[in-house]
Amino acid sequence: MSVDTEETHQRLKAAVHYTVGRLCQKIGEDHRRQFSRQAIAAIAETTFRQCDIFAKDLEAFARHAKRSTVSVDDVKLVARRSTALSIYIQNKSEELTQEHLGLKKKTTGKRKSIETEKSRE
């Protein structure tokens, strides 16, 4: 790895470790438990490695479909082994689609009303 790549890798790893630590702290407070530093480090390392695997799988799925961009379908495919994650991603995808359609309708409606006003003049 180049120096830049190694530095980026270390910064990402540190960000994951920090985030995992904060999540463990919050969960610990909610359940009156504490996480050891070793447990947090193990969870962070596992999370980082799993994200790396997900990223490689997503890239492979997109490449297999002869695309250069990862799609929602690729994300759904990568989550297929975890029922809870798969359901969450499916629900979030539907929610975002509905929001996107709602925004499109609002934008289209504004355009039509502007065009109608111009044609009246």
Side-chain angles (χ1 to χ4, degrees):
M1 269 191 235
S2 71
V3 175
D4 270 353
T5 305
E6 182 63 31
E7 184 181 334
T8 301
H9 182 83
Q10 289 303 318
R11 290 181 74 167
L12 284 171
K13 213 170 194 180
V16 169
H17 185 83
Y18 174 78
T19 303
V20 167
R22 298 291 295 188
L23 287 169
C24 286
Q25 182 181 11
K26 173 130 177 57
I27 290 168
E29 289 169 0
D30 292 346
H31 297 280
R32 294 189 216 133
R33 300 275 188 253
Q34 286 188 334
F35 289 83
S36 70
R37 289 178 186 244
Q38 294 85 0
I40 292 171
I43 294 167
E45 184 63 29
T46 303
T47 301
F48 192 80
R49 287 183 184 182
Q50 191 62 50
C51 286
D52 188 47
I53 291 167
F54 282 169
K56 288 175 182 172
D57 285 350
L58 289 169
E59 186 179 19
F61 295 154
R63 195 176 326 114
H64 178 74
K66 296 178 177 41
R67 288 184 275 105
S68 59
T69 304
V70 171
S71 73
V72 173
D73 290 333
D74 298 327
V75 176
K76 289 177 186 175
L77 190 58
V78 96
R80 73 193 180 283
R81 291 188 184 136
S82 169
T83 304
L85 182 58
S86 186
I87 290 169
Y88 177 81
I89 288 173
Q90 181 65 37
N91 291 339
K92 202 60 160 170
S93 172
E94 290 170 3
E95 183 182 311
L96 291 171
T97 301
Q98 291 301 320
E99 284 178 17
H100 182 70
L101 290 175
L103 289 175
K104 260 188 169 179
K105 286 180 182 177
K106 287 179 183 176
T107 305
T108 305
K110 286 181 181 177
R111 245 188 245 140
K112 284 182 180 176
S113 62
I114 291 170
E115 289 172 4
T116 305
E117 286 177 22
K118 285 183 180 178
S119 65
R120 288 181 186 168
E121 292 174 352

